[in-house]
Amino acid sequence: MVVSRDITEKASEEPTKRLEMTERNLGSSLDPVPWDTTATSAVRKLSFSEQQHRFETKRERILKKAYLECKRITASYAKTFFLGTSLLSEEKRLPVWAIYVWCRRTDDIVDGPRAAGNDDEVREVLADWEKRIDEIFAGRAFDALDLALVDVVQKFPLLRSQPFFDMVEGMKMDLQKSRYETWQELYLYCYRVAATVGLMTLPIMGTATPGKAALEEAKEPAIALGIALQITNILRDVGEDAGRGRIYIPKEDMEKFNYTEEELFNGVINENYIDLMKFEIARARDYFQQAEAGIAMLAPDARLPVRASMDIYGGILTQLEANRYDNFTKRAYVTKAKKISMLPLSWMRTVEDGPGAALYNLLGRP
């Protein structure tokens, strides 16, 4: 439907739109039949094997362009995530970027500029988006970016569709509410919009001991990391969200520290607010600590990317403290130079034995 295309393609992502539109006709050639049904009559005179070869060649060309576009979008919109995942091998980082782009497009359905004031249409688009998940896991793509995800699903058979559906449910929550009464409510939201990303990427990252059992064991730390990352996002963006009429900090926490919605919307930073922020930061750090247990469970080549992402995001909390808990007029972030300077220490923290671990123990935890 037209509205789906309008809402899911941001105006600022013109290269993405051009790629999708120029390759839109490929949709029919992604049917189970192994030939290009958009081909000319001359091509249809080719033998079955020749048509199949032509189709596969075209598919690989489109796929290569799609993965490059996934890389561009990830680099543009998720700098910390991009830096961390760039440390993965190519056979892992490209699939991870394809998953990020799907998540980004899902989020844009609800928060993109064309979605404002169109809640009914957005709900309809999300329903269509859920159908596309089934299509993708059945090996059928609607556009070139879907094709990249189809390729990921086919290469990593332990990848499941449920986290994708759960994320869509998280998007629906943004349409249903702008306040959260309890931490349990917010936890569910954090799980759906962030922890699901860890579950999506875990089969790609791989585990130290291959197999389903090790993957199941690594899920809990992956979920904890997602919760920690989303709490950090929420604390960083309090002022921005307030400008959109949203408060993600649980009402029960605000009441505990005697801080009101009116004060939040007015950007009041008093002792009550500082104590509230300290409480939420401690919660985020607790989930980061829970997630640390999962680092050693990962395949060796995936440990540094995840460790680096954890450390950089932890730096956002540190910067929020340095900003005297002002997340109304200041944005807590880690500079690119600081991110790069953190990598050696992140590496040392992933080394279980040897000089790296000894040096880290000598320096102590930051």
Side-chain angles (χ1 to χ4, degrees):
M1 58 184 292
V2 175
V3 67
S4 173
R5 191 175 305 163
D6 287 344
I7 292 178
T8 59
E9 295 170 350
K10 295 180 69 178
S12 60
E13 295 177 357
E14 286 301 325
T16 304
K17 185 182 296 184
R18 287 198 301 270
L19 178 63
E20 293 188 9
M21 295 302 291
T22 55
E23 307 297 355
R24 185 77 66 186
N25 288 337
L26 185 65
S28 58
S29 68
L30 297 178
D31 291 337
V33 292
W35 59 78
D36 187 354
T37 58
T38 66
T40 63
S41 58
V43 171
R44 292 195 183 96
K45 294 180 180 178
L46 298 174
S47 68
F48 179 90
S49 60
E50 288 172 328
Q51 289 188 47
Q52 185 178 28
H53 175 72
R54 184 183 184 280
F55 167 78
E56 293 298 337
T57 301
K58 183 176 181 179
R59 182 184 186 278
E60 289 305 310
R61 175 176 60 81
I62 305 293
L63 188 59
K64 183 177 180 180
K65 290 171 64 178
Y67 273 126
L68 288 175
E69 185 65 1
C70 290
K71 176 182 179 181
R72 185 198 68 80
I73 295 172
T74 307
S76 297
Y77 294 96
K79 292 179 173 56
T80 297
F81 182 80
F82 181 76
L83 176 62
T85 52
S86 293
L87 301 172
L88 290 166
S89 61
E90 182 173 345
E91 59 266 24
K92 291 186 177 182
R93 63 175 178 260
L94 290 178
V96 168
W97 292 338
I99 287 176
Y100 169 80
V101 167
W102 183 89
C103 296
R104 177 76 198 192
R105 297 172 80 191
T106 305
D107 183 69
D108 284 347
I109 294 174
V110 175
D111 287 334
R114 302 184 188 185
N118 297 318
D119 285 1
D120 289 339
E121 291 185 354
V122 170
R123 288 187 181 90
E124 189 176 353
V125 174
L126 287 173
D128 285 348
W129 200 245
E130 287 179 305
K131 294 176 183 177
R132 283 174 68 167
I133 297 172
D134 284 327
E135 291 295 302
I136 287 169
F137 274 80
R140 296 184 291 271
F142 177 76
D143 57 34
L145 295 178
D146 281 358
L147 178 59
L149 192 53
V150 166
D151 189 61
V152 173
V153 170
Q154 292 174 344
K155 287 180 176 177
F156 297 91
L158 293 180
L159 186 61
R160 297 292 180 260
S161 63
Q162 191 58 51
F164 293 84
F165 285 108
D166 288 343
M167 176 170 280
V168 174
E169 290 300 315
M171 298 300 109
K172 293 177 183 178
M173 291 177 74
D174 270 334
L175 298 176
Q176 296 163 353
K177 57 173 62 183
S178 59
R179 305 287 191 281
Y180 290 84
E181 294 290 326
T182 66
W183 163 240
Q184 285 72 24
E185 284 186 19
L186 184 63
Y187 178 91
L188 178 61
Y189 175 77
C190 292
Y191 167 78
R192 286 174 170 174
V193 302
T196 50
V197 180
L199 298 181
M200 293 174 194
T201 56
L202 185 57
I204 298 169
M205 298 286 188
T207 50
T209 303
K212 291 183 179 180
L215 199 67
E216 285 298 318
E217 185 181 5
K219 283 183 178 180
E220 285 304 314
I223 291 172
L225 178 57
I227 301 298
L229 296 177
Q230 188 60 24
I231 297 173
T232 302
N233 285 337
I234 288 170
L235 298 181
R236 180 194 63 196
D237 298 338
V238 166
E240 180 181 330
D241 289 329
R244 299 158 59 196
R246 293 183 178 277
I247 299 177
Y248 287 97
I249 298 173
K251 184 178 179 180
E252 67 178 7
D253 294 353
M254 295 176 65
E255 291 176 348
K256 177 179 180 179
F257 292 96
N258 196 28
Y259 189 78
T260 67
E261 285 191 10
E262 182 180 1
E263 288 175 314
L264 190 145
F265 282 126
N266 287 322
V268 174
I269 301 175
N270 53 24
E271 288 302 316
N272 291 343
Y273 185 72
I274 290 173
D275 289 342
L276 173 61
M277 287 296 100
K278 288 179 178 179
F279 176 79
E280 302 298 347
I281 289 172
R283 173 180 279 158
R285 285 177 172 154
D286 179 62
Y287 277 98
F288 274 124
Q289 187 172 3
Q290 293 178 44
E292 285 197 25
I295 298 292
M297 298 180 188
L298 297 173
D301 64 338
R303 293 172 188 170
L304 177 56
V306 174
R307 177 78 260 179
S309 296
M310 289 177 61
D311 291 343
I312 292 170
Y313 253 82
I316 294 175
L317 297 175
T318 302
Q319 188 59 46
L320 176 57
E321 293 170 325
N323 289 346
R324 298 179 182 271
Y325 307 97
D326 182 359
N327 41 17
F328 295 106
T329 65
K330 298 179 181 179
R331 183 175 178 82
Y333 69 97
V334 180
T335 66
K336 184 176 182 179
K338 178 65 174 177
K339 291 176 184 177
I340 294 174
S341 71
M342 293 171 73
L343 292 179
L345 186 57
S346 295
W347 171 77
M348 282 187 274
R349 299 178 77 177
T350 66
V351 180
E352 297 175 323
D353 299 298
L359 181 57
Y360 176 68
N361 291 330
L362 178 64
L363 294 174
R365 289 180 177 269

